[in-house]
Structure formats: C-alpha cells, structure tokens
Amino acid sequence: MGRLLPAVIATLSLLILPVATSARDWADTIDRIQRSVVRVTHLVVWTDPQTGRTHRGSSVCAGSSINEIHSYYLTAFHCLDEGTGKDLKINGLPARLLLADKNSDLAVITADLHRPAVRASTRQLRKGEQVGTLGFAYGFIDSIFRTGYISHPSIDPYRHGEMGQILIIDNGYIGGQSGGPVFDLDGRIVGIVQSTDDVSGFGLNISTILHSTRFYWQFPS
C-alpha cells in the first residue's frame, strides 16, 4: 500500500495540472484591452474666489478606442467641460469632439491616433459577475486597474429600482477613471465609468451606450 502512494499522487497531479494552467487570468485581459484605453485631458481655468488669482490645470479622464480605422474614442461627456473641451487632447495629441450627448453623459472624440478597437458585449450580464475597469485614477500618467462585482446589470435608480439603463458595481470609482471602460473577463465592454459614491460605481450599460453611439463603433453588437 505504501509503495502505491507515490503513483497515486503522480496520477492526481496529472489530473489537476491541466485545470490549474487553463484558468483565465485578468492580467491576460488587461494586456489586450489596455492598448485601447487612452488618456483624455483638457485645459481647466478657474479663479480662486478668495484671492482672485486665476489658475490653469488639466482635467484627466479616460477613453476607449471604438474604431481603429477612423480613430473614434468613447468617453464621458462630463470629461469635456460641458462640451467646450478647451485644448482637448488624447494621449497628448490634439482632439476634437464628434458627438456630445449631455443627457446620457456620453461623448465620442477623435484624434490622429490609431488604437485597437474594443468590442461590445452581446450577452446578458448577471448579478455577481466580476468586471474590471481601466482608467487614470488620481491623474496618474499610466492606467490603473480595478475590479468589482456587478450589483445590478441594468436598473433605473430614479424610478424606484425599475429595470433600466444603469450598471452598478460594488466598488467605488476613483477620480481620473471617468469615461473609461468597464469590461468582462473576455475583454468586451459592458459599461462606462461615469459616477461614484463611497460604496458603488455607476455608469450606463452597453446596450444604452450603443443606442446613442452605435454609428461610431467598428464592431457594433
């Protein structure tokens, strides 16, 4: 019996090993999708009411390439200073506004920069699924990855929780992530980062996003 034990362990190892090595990893997804995520900035000028001094700075958000051929990028409308987008740039290159949907907080912008286009998810999301986000949290020069679980895939918080257009995850977003993608483990976009509190992250789900922006996508669902 004792001499059989090493053989049994070896057999079990052969059975277990393929399962362990075939497990998917978020790192693989990030390697693909981060090539499509860009840093969106525009000039901000404000006056200190106490000193009267004028200050200049940059607002930092994120965006996703949705059409590599035409260089279209999806972001949040509130990232563009109410649509004016003074000195608007994508990865430091001059950009211009193509679509401004203030009601849905969506915008499509373009620049002379070609990045692989993301794909939209076509499947029904479920509560409890894990999703990821990439954005320029804290204004960092490189993107930051965060993850969370879907609290609800499509709900209207303004109509007593009826089914609607908002995707909610159980993790708050960080300043600088606005406009960035929310994506599943396959690297397909399921939503967009738009607002947050200390507990949850909120944004439109992909079906609502496509309703306003489908014309611009290279791979519409």
Side-chain angles (χ1 to χ4, degrees):
M1 185 72 175
R3 281 183 285 182
L4 287 176
L5 187 57
V8 171
I9 293 174
T11 301
L12 288 175
S13 297
L14 289 173
L15 292 173
I16 295 171
L17 185 59
V19 176
T21 56
S22 65
R24 294 188 299 173
D25 195 318
W26 274 111
D28 296 329
T29 302
I30 295 166
D31 283 344
R32 297 194 312 273
I33 200 168
Q34 68 182 355
R35 293 176 294 169
S36 305
V37 177
V38 294
R39 197 168 190 264
V40 179
T41 60
H42 73 79
L43 177 66
V44 178
V45 180
W46 76 98
T47 301
D48 188 322
Q50 295 183 340
T51 65
R53 297 181 61 181
T54 299
H55 301 271
R56 297 164 66 90
S58 289
S59 170
V60 178
C61 283
S64 304
S65 170
I66 57 175
N67 194 311
E68 180 178 6
I69 298 172
H70 298 292
S71 302
Y72 296 155
Y73 294 86
L74 175 71
T75 189
F77 175 81
H78 76 260
C79 292
L80 308 181
D81 192 23
E82 290 298 301
T84 59
K86 303 181 186 73
D87 198 26
L88 179 64
K89 293 182 178 180
I90 298 175
N91 283 10
L93 297 175
R96 60 188 177 90
L97 180 64
L98 296 177
L99 171 72
D101 186 343
K102 184 176 181 179
N103 291 332
S104 297
D105 191 23
L106 294 173
V108 176
I109 57 181
T110 185
D112 188 16
L113 178 69
H114 298 272
R115 290 292 184 90
V118 296
R119 292 178 179 267
S121 174
T122 57
R123 63 183 183 81
Q124 183 67 40
L125 299 174
R126 297 179 298 166
K127 296 178 185 177
E129 281 192 57
Q130 191 175 26
V131 291
T133 62
L134 278 175
F136 298 89
Y138 309 109
F140 289 156
I141 198 69
D142 199 6
S143 61
I144 301 298
F145 171 69
R146 286 170 63 79
T147 186
Y149 293 90
I150 294 177
S151 300
H152 203 290
S154 181
I155 198 167
D156 189 341
Y158 307 107
R159 295 193 176 185
H160 309 290
E162 294 178 12
M163 295 295 287
Q165 71 276 16
I166 302 298
L167 171 70
I168 304 176
I169 70 169
D170 69 339
N171 199 357
Y173 298 129
I174 300 171
Q177 285 189 277
S178 285
V182 181
F183 50 92
D184 62 17
L185 196 53
D186 293 323
R188 292 182 178 264
I189 302 302
V190 300
I192 186 175
V193 175
Q194 289 175 305
S195 63
T196 190
D197 57 22
D198 294 334
V199 178
S200 302
F202 304 87
L204 294 177
N205 61 38
I206 190 60
S207 61
T208 306
I209 293 170
L210 288 173
H211 181 74
S212 296
T213 65
R214 184 182 300 272
F215 170 79
Y216 297 92
W217 287 68
Q218 185 172 342
F219 305 111
S221 61

